Structures are given as C-alpha cells and as structure tokens.
Amino acid sequence: MSGRRGTALIEFAGSLVLISTLFTGVFQLGQSFYTYNRLVNAVRQGARFASLQPGTAASTGIVQKLIVYGETNPAPTASPLIAGLSERNVQVIIADRKATVVIRDFILSGMFYSPKLDGKPSVTFPITGAGK
Amino acid sequence: MRTGRRGFVLIATTIVLAILLGLAAIVVDAGRMYLIKSELQAYTDASSLNAALQLDGTPTGQEKARKAAKELAGGDHPMKWDMGSRPIENVQVYFDQPTQVRVVVAVQAPVIFLKAMGAIQANASLVSASSIAASGPPRLVQ
C-alpha cells in the first residue's frame, strides 16, 4: 500500500518538474515581450521628443534621461523605468533632419533565454521642430 | 491497481498540460501580437509624419510622400517588427485629402500556439496599425 503511494508520488514529482518548467518558460517569454514592448514605447517617446526640438538642438543627454527615467530632469536617486537600462544603452542620432534612437548592448534578462539587444528596438522620426 | 494509479497521474498531467498550453497561447501569442502592434504603430506614426513633410498639394509632392512613407523601413537604422527581427513591407499610403496622408501597415503575426490549438481563423492573427498626418499649420485632425 505504502509502495503504491510512493510510486504515485514519484510520478507526480516527475510531472511537476515538467509542468513547472513549462510554466516558468511561458512566464519568462511573456515577461520578455512585456519588457521589449516597454522599450519600444520608451524609444518611440524619446525619438519623438528629440524630433520636436528645432534643427539639431536636441540634447542627447536629455533624450537619454527621458527614455531611461521617463523624465528629462530626474532626481539623482531616480531608478530606471526598465530594470537594467542605463543611459549608455541609449544611442541618439540627430542627422539628415531625422532623430533616431537605438538601444545598444542591453540584455533582456530571462531565466532560460537572455538575448542581447544591440541595434533594436530602433525608432526614427523626421525632425518637425520649428526653425528647421 | 498499480497500472490504474499510474494512469491517473498520466491523465492529470495531460489535463494540466492542456490548460498550460491554453495559457501559453494567451501569454505568448497575444503578448507577441501586442508587441507587434506597438512596433507597427511606432512605424506608422513616424512614417506618416515623414510623408506629410513632403506634401505640397501637387501630385509630385504625393509621389515624394509615397516614397518617404517607406523610407524609415530602410537605411542604417531600419524600424522592424516582431521584436525587431522582420523588415516592414507592404506599407500602404492613402491621400484622403490633398494635404493629408494616412499610412497603414498590416502583417500576419507568426502565432504558434493559437494556430496549434486551431482556435483561430487564418486572418485572426492580422495585426495592423494606421496613422494620419497632415501638412500645413497645426490643426485638429478628426
């Protein structure tokens, strides 16, 4: 009787490993999509902000701060909106009457899969600031 | 009796796996589709502005605008979709008014689980984004 119960327990443990691995995998993948989505929106917002400054007046530092902290003048103690993102991960290019923001060397950390984002997401807006 | 118990664990695991697969379908595929929507929306927003800057009320301006609407999908830093992995193609450009441009991009999201479950029709994975921009002095666009 106790032997049978033990067998069931072992089988249950086996299936639990399988199921929890799957569950974690799905959770992680969802988390990656969510983080990437936030990155796309932050980069889009930053590029649009830069494109609203006249000519080449957009300041790289301010755009980087906006993307990382969500505001152009964050408190010194502010923490990034997206975990692990810092200003050196954000490349701002103002050239040819376009404002481009590209994410560089950012690791989208996950338990099983941690892709390195270099060159994406990338958003370009044409400069529409007055006085171009 | 032994085999009966073993069968129970198998059945229970199968049921839980089926539920998990459904969950995966929602989290992974729907999440991916939302992500693609964000990417496409960022593209059409930028692209429609880029196109509107070319509009001058003439057919030549419209031709330039058509070209400008596709410009941001190429170049050194192209905007892409599906976590930045696929190039944006099939950019549709419409001129509903002479000084207004509407850019539409639609793609079939590469869903896996939803398709495997047979839960969706072929075009239910269609993701599209659309933006309107106008040239000239600032005004409200309906």
Side-chain angles (χ1 to χ4, degrees):
Chain A
M1 188 64 196
S2 62
R4 273 189 214 144
R5 203 178 279 175
T7 312
L9 199 71
I10 288 163
E11 285 167 343
F12 176 70
S15 65
L16 199 69
V17 168
L18 181 75
I19 287 166
S20 57
T21 308
L22 241 166
F23 190 83
T24 316
V26 168
F27 177 81
Q28 285 284 325
L29 213 58
Q31 181 83 1
S32 299
F33 287 149
Y34 175 68
T35 309
Y36 193 90
N37 200 349
R38 289 182 65 187
L39 264 180
V40 169
N41 285 320
V43 166
R44 191 202 70 85
Q45 192 188 11
R48 183 62 182 135
F49 175 83
S51 79
L52 285 169
Q53 315 303 312
T56 56
S59 149
T60 298
I62 287 176
V63 175
Q64 286 171 328
K65 283 195 181 77
L66 179 66
I67 291 170
V68 176
Y69 301 103
E71 51 186 321
T72 52
N73 192 15
T77 54
S79 54
L81 295 178
I82 296 163
L85 189 70
S86 84
E87 280 144 278
R88 62 184 168 74
N89 296 124
V90 181
Q91 187 188 7
V92 181
I93 307 159
I94 312 282
D96 200 20
R97 287 169 67 170
K98 293 199 172 44
T100 301
V101 175
V102 186
I103 293 295
R104 291 286 176 203
D105 287 318
F106 179 66
I107 296 185
L108 200 60
S109 59
M111 222 175 258
F112 304 116
Y113 175 60
S114 299
K116 186 166 145 188
L117 301 178
D118 190 30
K120 66 183 186 177
S122 151
V123 173
T124 304
F125 268 92
I127 303 277
T128 52
K132 48 198 166 173
Chain B
M1 197 60 199
R2 239 180 113 90
T3 48
R5 291 223 172 197
R6 198 169 281 183
F8 171 75
V9 172
L10 194 73
I11 290 164
T13 308
T14 311
I15 291 169
V16 174
L17 268 180
I19 294 169
L20 258 180
L21 204 70
L23 205 72
I26 294 162
V27 175
V28 178
D29 285 342
R32 197 176 189 182
M33 283 168 76
Y34 274 111
L35 172 57
I36 291 169
K37 167 75 181 178
S38 285
E39 291 176 300
L40 295 183
Q41 192 65 57
Y43 180 78
T44 59
D45 285 357
S47 162
S48 63
L49 277 174
N50 204 34
L53 287 176
Q54 302 298 325
L55 288 178
D56 55 6
T58 67
T60 323
Q62 289 198 348
E63 269 321 298
K64 280 190 195 163
R66 250 177 228 290
K67 214 178 255 178
K70 289 160 186 138
E71 188 190 351
L72 303 177
D76 289 342
H77 302 283
M79 290 168 76
K80 293 181 173 183
W81 65 282
D82 197 18
M83 268 180 115
S85 65
R86 296 169 191 242
I88 292 171
E89 289 157 346
N90 302 323
V91 180
Q92 294 150 272
V93 186
Y94 303 96
F95 302 100
D96 303 323
Q97 286 175 35
T99 57
Q100 186 175 305
V101 58
R102 178 162 54 96
V103 177
V104 181
V105 179
V107 299
Q108 287 287 349
V111 291
I112 303 163
F113 297 100
L114 286 173
K115 204 170 268 178
M117 291 175 79
I120 57 158
Q121 312 241 307
N123 66 351
S125 62
L126 194 76
V127 180
S128 74
S130 153
S131 302
I132 297 174
S135 69
R139 66 187 177 87
L140 287 173
V141 177
Q142 292 293 314

